[in-house]
Amino acid sequence: MTIPDGFPLSAARLLRRHAGWLGIAPLAALLVIAFAVPVVSLLRLSFGEAGFTLEHFVRIATVPLYRSVLLTTLTISVLTTLLCVVMSYPVAYLMATVGPRMRAALIVVVLLPFWTSSLVRTTAWIVILQGNGILNRLLMGIGLTSEPVAFVYNLSGVLIGMTHVLMPFVVLPLYAALRGLDLSTVQAAEGLGARPATVFFRIVVPLTAPGAVAGATIVFMNALGFYITPALMGGPAQTMISQMIADNVGRQLDWGFAAALSTVLLGATLVLFVLFQRVFGLDRLFAGGGGTKSGEPFRLTSRGRTAGGLFGAVMGFAVAVFLIAPILVVFPMSLGSSPFLAFPPTDLSFKWYVSFFENSKWVGALVRSLEVAAVTVAGAVVLGTAAAIGLDRIGPRWRRVLETVFVLPMIAPVIILAVGLYYLFAPVGLVASIWGLAIGHTVLAAPYVFITVRAALKTFDPNLELAAIGLGAPWGTMARRILVPVILPGILAGAVFAFITSFDDVILALFLTNIRTRTLPKLMYEGVAHEIDPTIIAAAGLIILVTVLVLALDLVLTRKRS
């Protein structure tokens, strides 16, 4: 078979395959140089610098302190995962059982915190939960307690903060599973006399369990490597393995032991990732909303909400309030003029925003964050898009392997990459440079672009490309006129992911910047770690505002393009 001008179809496909490898090469090279090399170099230290030894691993296994840290990490990760699953069911149920407008509002409530800086949310929870915070003042005001309750700087604070950050990873797959249920199954059970509770526990829970387990696995993988939330909201008893790695590098200067801890953490994460990929596949990492065939809201019964359903809806609303509370609290507090943080503010003022922009330290950090984010977005969009297009054009034998390799930076704990890059960049002068930090951020952000563009490419018919090339169109013309318009929403979504990934980062900035080159999140982290002043809340308000504007711009552009 030939294309009308005589260009053989087989030749077009061969050209397409070679172009695929050219698209993959740049991102692969970046990940080898700035991910594989620093991580492997760091892990190699765990087996000794002078000669092979297992001394550091024996130390981890035999010293009670380190065994305690490993147990604490495991315990906090398990508890966070359980809380995420239990709290996700009510809000996912509520999202699946309401009308389109309310559903859209609830999806925004779930996604907005997901996109908002985890440091901002952690800062907000500290303000809400501290001794003189909003929650304690409320409890004492209504007479439930006579003195402040310790909600923060302990296990409860860590669990609240980590659950809030990670819960969307369970809510979204659960919502998709509920919307994808076949309503005829539920109706048949009801027709046979099953009570609503029986339908829920015998039909709904088993059928949605894969979504819950997939989300729980993602949560557990992320929780193992958490650093910021336990460092800010926990106490000494809640020290996790990531904090121990940072401490051994920053204060103890014990690189070998830090590398051994990193090896243990990375090994556990990769084992979970391999199991996750085999059981669920990579698509679950970005599970979106599904939809029943009829498009109708999911119902346990045909008679409307039962008492149990009403209770579930109320609990879902409470969880939605939990998700959006930090954002609703931080921004109004930043508009107060009092030097003491209060909610609601007694008056409205831009005093602390003026203070922010009059202070060269804060303005410089903001400008630096935007510069690094701009470089990151440019690099991540080009590399991630090229890799996604390239991967779509090679044989299936290599496709799954490369897909796994490209998403590894999303899976590996960021603390390991940060320490590895510091170890690699320090001798060549890239530490304390925006270029070193931008390279690290691009490593983290490019996989997000790759995933979103890969998803967009599923709607593209490759025969259109073959036909255009066969008719003599240069590949660049074909891409500009046919391919890019189809996948542009995925590219824009990836760019938003890349921007927020860079603008939100604290861990890489802690290791790859100094006092003169620190970014806004790092400056906020340093302030929160000591004492929260209103200028930090104004900085948090600015980050929320920037995030909302970026998301709104992405939504407008995507709708116009559609």
Side-chain angles (χ1 to χ4, degrees), residues 353 356-357 359-374 499 503 517-524 538-539 542-543 546:
Y353 287 95
F356 178 96
F357 285 106
N359 190 320
S360 60
K361 175 181 68 174
W362 288 102
V363 173
L366 173 62
V367 171
R368 204 163 295 111
S369 290
L370 293 173
E371 290 174 345
V372 173
F499 178 86
F503 200 68
T517 60
R518 58 191 172 186
T519 59
L520 182 60
K522 180 181 178 179
L523 185 56
M524 287 180 60
L542 282 174
I543 291 178
V546 169

Side-chain angles (χ1 to χ4, degrees), residues 156-369:
S156 63
V158 173
L159 292 178
I160 290 171
M162 289 179 61
T163 300
H164 185 266
V165 171
L166 295 173
M167 199 168 71
F169 284 111
V170 184
V171 174
L172 297 178
L174 262 182
Y175 165 68
L178 284 169
R179 291 286 294 165
L181 284 180
D182 188 350
L183 293 181
S184 62
T185 305
V186 176
Q187 293 164 358
E190 183 187 8
L192 291 171
R195 299 177 63 84
T198 303
V199 173
F200 181 77
F201 288 106
R202 298 292 295 274
I203 297 178
V204 175
V205 171
L207 291 178
T208 57
V213 174
T217 307
I218 298 172
V219 168
F220 189 74
M221 282 192 296
N222 279 273
L224 285 174
F226 247 56
Y227 178 84
I228 298 300
T229 302
L232 293 178
M233 299 187 68
Q238 288 75 49
T239 300
M240 296 182 68
I241 189 170
S242 292
Q243 297 166 263
M244 188 66 69
I245 293 170
D247 182 72
N248 275 275
V249 171
R251 292 202 301 171
Q252 308 294 333
L253 300 179
D254 192 342
W255 282 87
F257 189 65
L261 290 170
S262 300
T263 301
V264 172
L265 178 58
L266 183 61
T269 305
L270 290 180
V271 168
L272 286 169
F273 174 62
V274 170
L275 293 174
F276 177 88
Q277 186 183 17
R278 286 185 176 273
V279 176
F280 301 108
L282 291 175
D283 289 345
R284 285 285 189 175
L285 286 172
F286 288 87
T292 57
K293 293 181 180 179
S294 64
E296 300 173 359
F298 170 76
R299 288 283 185 268
L300 279 179
T301 71
S302 59
R303 301 184 299 274
R305 293 192 192 276
T306 61
L310 183 61
F311 175 76
V314 171
M315 293 303 297
F317 180 77
V319 174
V321 172
F322 167 78
L323 286 172
I324 201 68
I327 296 175
L328 295 181
V329 166
V330 165
F331 201 75
M333 287 181 66
S334 68
L335 295 175
S337 61
S338 171
F340 305 102
L341 298 175
F343 182 85
T346 55
D347 57 355
L348 295 179
S349 170
F350 290 99
K351 174 181 178 180
W352 301 115
Y353 287 95
V354 172
S355 174
F356 178 96
F357 285 106
E358 287 181 345
N359 190 320
S360 60
K361 175 181 68 174
W362 288 102
V363 173
L366 173 62
V367 171
R368 204 163 295 111
S369 290

